[in-house]
Amino acid sequence: MTDQPLAERTTPTAPELFTWEFATDPYPAYAWLREHAPVHRTRLPSGVEAWLVTRYADAKQALADQRLSKNPAHHDEPAHAKGKTGIPGERKAELMTHLLNIDPPDHTRLRRLVSKAFTPRRVAEFAPRVQELTDQLIDRFAAQGSADLIHEFAFPLPIYAICDLLGVPREDQDDFRDWAGMMIRHGGGPRGGVARSVKKMRGYLLELIHRKRESLPADPVPGEDLISGLIRASDHGEHLTENEAAAMAFILLFAGFETTVNLVGNGLFALMTHPDQRARLQDSLAAGETGLLETGVEELLRYDGPVELATWRFATQPLTVGGQDIAAGDPVLVVLAAADRDPARFADPDTLDLSRRDNQHLGYGHGIHYCLGAPLARLEGQTALATLLTRLPDLRLAADSADLRWRGGLIMRGLRTLPVEFTPTS
């Protein structure tokens, strides 16, 4: 019982969200929300109002709750919010019918078609190509003694990898790199530049689907690319429309590149600012072990993962999450970065521990929308980190960590640049 006069008691004030200062280190604000307002309604920078879910148990429930639809048609949006949810440009480019925007049964059908490309066996077959790409990119800057690991390494690696998987010809992949670069550079700012890139990407994908359909062999060949597989499924009665095929290729590219850029970039930054953990990993790699690398990538996903907020969900009916009533039509954003540092679920959640075993993080989501490309992302993350730390063992930051800037945006969390120095190698 407090003896403080009632008039002098004050309600704690929520921290300011989505500022540049917040982007640098959002975790103290998320800790406040978990404690004081675990399901918190806020106005986003776009003007849209949404609920933020920050506790692990509530987040896991919300991610699997089928009353929270992925279809933006369920958004009870006011006029000023129209078109401000989802991926910039996808609405105008007619690329809405992809896995992040649909519910069962369409989601079940499309996911089944695409899942064949991400089986453990298929990803294992792709491992030599990921290693080849990793070494080629490091070769380009190894003799310089310095590099920006975002633009020279973390960014191109997943672009070229996902293009190979989709079946984009090598001579066209630099175009994809340019379009994807526009998405990253402008993801937190005006949506016009992103929309133009998305429109160009859609036009190219439709043309590529036409070209592949005309030259598709009668029977599948081993290691057939994903777009050819989608065409084959469509031509054999799976009812995949041309727009669905283009939207599917688009979302695999979009979801498959920036997440890996941030996994590699955030992971390297965390390792360089935690020298004891980095030394443990390098010693383990030098001994030919892989166990710490595998648990380490999962811990880096939990500690400062590439996806800060899960993609949009919309209440199809009134429901309650974490004791908070949510009205039908309201947008709900699950804050993965907050849930994965919830002390009610993780011991010492603000400590980076590469050997953490009890690590059921939500970095890849949960439920039917669990990340389809998780096996490929793990492969790329493990290959990138292990190869860099082995080939450039004295890798170090070339700037004060406080001076690095994080990209503004709602869903993703990643550095703009990551300047490093190291002993040049031939």
Side-chain angles (χ1 to χ4, degrees):
M1 189 90 176
T2 179
D3 57 3
Q4 184 182 13
L6 186 63
E8 294 180 17
R9 298 179 204 167
T10 58
T11 303
T13 303
E16 192 173 2
L17 306 176
F18 309 117
T19 64
W20 290 111
E21 293 78 14
F22 168 85
T24 300
D25 182 11
Y27 296 103
Y30 288 149
W32 189 98
L33 289 177
R34 275 196 312 266
E35 182 176 353
H36 298 285
V39 181
H40 175 64
R41 188 175 177 91
T42 190
R43 184 177 293 275
L44 305 172
S46 63
V48 177
E49 290 195 358
W51 294 98
L52 303 181
V53 180
T54 55
R55 286 181 180 168
Y56 182 92
D58 297 336
K60 198 168 181 180
Q61 174 207 329
L63 290 172
D65 194 327
Q66 296 198 20
R67 296 172 298 175
L68 290 172
S69 169
K70 300 292 292 173
N71 189 341
H74 291 290
H75 184 196
D76 185 20
E77 56 187 347
H80 79 274
K82 196 157 187 68
K84 292 184 177 179
T85 62
I87 298 168
E90 64 179 359
R91 194 183 298 246
K92 284 186 179 178
E94 299 177 9
L95 289 171
M96 296 286 287
T97 52
H98 57 67
L99 289 173
L100 294 185
N101 281 344
I102 56 175
D103 304 315
D106 286 336
H107 176 270
T108 310
R109 172 176 62 89
L110 293 180
R111 188 176 175 105
R112 184 180 67 247
L113 293 178
V114 151
S115 62
K116 300 167 189 173
F118 296 100
T119 62
R121 190 185 77 172
R122 184 73 187 274
V123 170
E125 291 171 352
F126 199 53
R129 176 58 178 156
V130 173
Q131 184 66 63
E132 179 186 20
L133 284 169
T134 301
D135 282 318
Q136 286 176 352
L137 291 169
I138 295 174
D139 287 344
R140 295 180 185 178
F141 57 76
Q144 298 172 7
S146 64
D148 173 4
L149 289 183
I150 299 298
H151 293 283
E152 296 179 68
F153 183 70
F155 175 68
L157 174 62
I159 280 287
Y160 293 138
I162 201 71
C163 280
D164 279 355
L165 199 68
L166 287 170
V168 176
R170 298 276 170 92
E171 62 269 21
D172 295 341
Q173 291 184 6
D174 283 338
D175 287 336
F176 268 80
R177 180 176 175 169
D178 291 344
W179 297 329
M182 180 66 73
M183 291 180 183
I184 277 193
R185 285 193 298 275
H186 295 286
R191 297 164 77 90
V194 180
R196 285 191 293 274
S197 293
V198 169
K199 189 175 181 180
K200 289 178 182 177
M201 198 177 287
R202 177 183 183 272
Y204 174 84
L205 288 170
L206 288 172
E207 179 189 338
L208 182 63
I209 288 167
H210 280 305
R211 293 202 323 250
K212 285 185 177 289
R213 177 171 270 127
E214 289 174 0
S215 60
L216 199 66
D219 298 310
V221 297
E224 184 171 69
D225 67 74
L226 183 50
I227 289 180
S228 295
L230 290 173
I231 295 168
R232 195 178 297 283
S234 179
D235 291 346
H236 286 78
E238 287 282 4
H239 310 298
L240 188 72
T241 69
E242 198 165 80
N243 259 356
E244 285 177 333
M248 183 65 71
F250 162 72
I251 198 57
L252 289 171
L253 182 77
F254 182 87
F257 92 87
E258 191 171 0
T259 50
T260 306
V261 174
N262 296 347
L263 167 58
V264 174
N266 298 6
L268 285 166
F269 176 69
L271 290 172
M272 286 188 285
T273 52
H274 293 79
D276 57 330
Q277 295 295 307
R278 175 230 182 108
R280 287 179 65 197
L281 180 55
Q282 286 182 296
D283 289 346
S284 173
L285 293 170
E289 300 165 356
T290 60
L292 191 63
L293 176 65
E294 292 168 2
T295 59
V297 166
E298 299 308 305
E299 173 69 347
L300 292 168
L301 279 159
R302 182 202 69 82
Y303 179 77
D304 198 10
V307 183
E308 190 166 339
L309 284 73
T311 49
W312 295 84
R313 283 166 168 78
F314 307 94
T316 59
Q317 61 189 72
L319 71 154
T320 301
V321 177
Q324 175 64 58
D325 293 334
I326 293 173
D330 279 0
V332 175
L333 291 165
V334 176
V335 187
L336 304 179
D340 279 343
R341 291 213 191 181
D342 188 344
R345 176 59 185 83
F346 299 99
D348 299 318
D350 295 321
T351 298
L352 180 69
D353 177 8
L354 299 185
S355 59
R356 189 184 294 269
R357 294 286 177 181
D358 181 18
N359 195 1
Q360 297 297 312
H361 64 77
L362 299 176
Y364 290 125
H366 175 67
I368 63 170
H369 290 281
Y370 182 85
C371 177
L372 193 62
L376 179 60
R378 286 189 173 103
L379 169 67
E380 292 174 329
Q382 291 175 15
T383 304
L385 295 177
T387 308
L388 264 177
L389 293 176
T390 301
R391 290 189 56 182
L392 306 175
D394 64 345
L395 194 69
R396 58 195 178 275
L397 280 175
D400 191 303
S401 60
D403 292 334
L404 296 180
R405 292 291 173 262
W406 296 78
R407 288 192 301 277
L410 190 63
I411 302 298
M412 302 291 186
R413 173 166 172 77
L415 287 161
R416 289 172 177 262
T417 60
L418 185 58
V420 296
E421 296 173 337
F422 47 86
T423 300
T425 63
S426 58

